[in-house]
Amino acid sequence: MAETRPAPSGDRPAVLVLRALGLGDLLAAVPALRGVRRAFPEYETVLAAPGSLAAAVRATGTVDVHFATPENGRQVPSLDHWPGPPPAVAIDLHGNGPLSHDALAALGPGRTLSFARPEADHPAPPRWRRDEHERLRWCRFLTAYGIPADPADVRVPPPALPSPAPGAVVLHPGADAPARRWPAERHAAVAAALRDAGHRVVVSGGPGEEELCAEVARRAGLDPADVLAGTLTFDGLSALVARATLLISGDTGPAHLAFAHGTRSVTLFGPVAPSLWGPPPDRRHTALWHPGPPGDPHAATPDPLLLRITADEVLGSALAALHRGGAAKEAAGHG
């Protein structure tokens, strides 16, 4: 895992990137962050992101410095604690509004690149598109400023840490908001069917999701030892996903870990379409979604489109993915 420093050294000019959001947002920005680092090889690349993402930032290997911001939800954080001279370049990968632009501009950088206020006299200033995939958006944004970035450059190496359940099917029923949480009883039905088909199934969850994960396991008849909730570090979760046979989850951070590690996945979408946040085009990844009007991804109840996805749909997709994975392993063994 690449090491990062907590503050710029001051020995080189700094490129400060603001992306103070969640794990999925960080991983979706990996192609853009790699583009920035390649474009400024003589500069220190600094990422302003929440301190809770420290291990994930290190794992991406995309920056030299992780400038920790306050845990601020999805709001623009204060950057008043910036410790050094003004950054040579400030890049707003946080959003398209003036607040994030202004937070960076307040540091007095030599240049500020943003959607909110493109550089004056720019020949082709980038414009925000509501219907654009997140990875494509930021790569297009940078390219407009002469910084090439490849949206397919999503892979992140797995940690050296061993998996707590190598080869298992991992169900991750939680999400930051109820809008993206598929019902526990449907997760349990899928888990029980996969177990009956001969697969080891474990349930993962973050802090505060222990009760949800225990309910899924209890309904499915899984062993309590197969509940990995609230105990995994980021590296432990990353190792679990990287060495899983399949990940089944909603549109949340672990799904992006599966994309980053090339782990087979079935991802359930509801309020936000997979065309905006879905996996890269790869047969290893299946996105389930029933088209309809967009919803609020931060709402307090499960999204109606998410609830249209049935347990039979998820189970069928999971079994198909497992079959493809087994066939691929068998072919490799005969190669």
Side-chain angles (χ1 to χ4, degrees), residues 35-56:
V36 171
R37 194 169 206 182
R38 285 192 298 266
F40 297 95
E42 304 303 320
Y43 290 53
E44 278 191 307
T45 51
V46 183
L47 176 63
S52 59
L53 291 180

Side-chain angles (χ1 to χ4, degrees), residues 27 38 46 59 62 115 117 177 191-192 244 293 306:
L27 294 173
R38 285 192 298 266
V46 183
T62 56
F115 272 120
R117 299 189 183 98
L306 181 65

Side-chain angles (χ1 to χ4, degrees), residues 207-256:
E209 295 177 343
E210 294 87 349
E211 185 175 339
L212 170 63
C213 294
E215 179 187 356
V216 170
R218 185 173 60 253
R219 286 174 175 267
L222 301 181
D223 191 303
D226 287 328
V227 177
L228 305 172
T231 58
L232 294 177
T233 63
F234 169 78
D235 289 340
L237 175 63
S238 185
L240 175 68
V241 172
R243 297 173 178 89
T245 300
L246 177 71
L247 173 76
I248 301 172
S249 77
D251 174 21
T252 190
H256 290 270

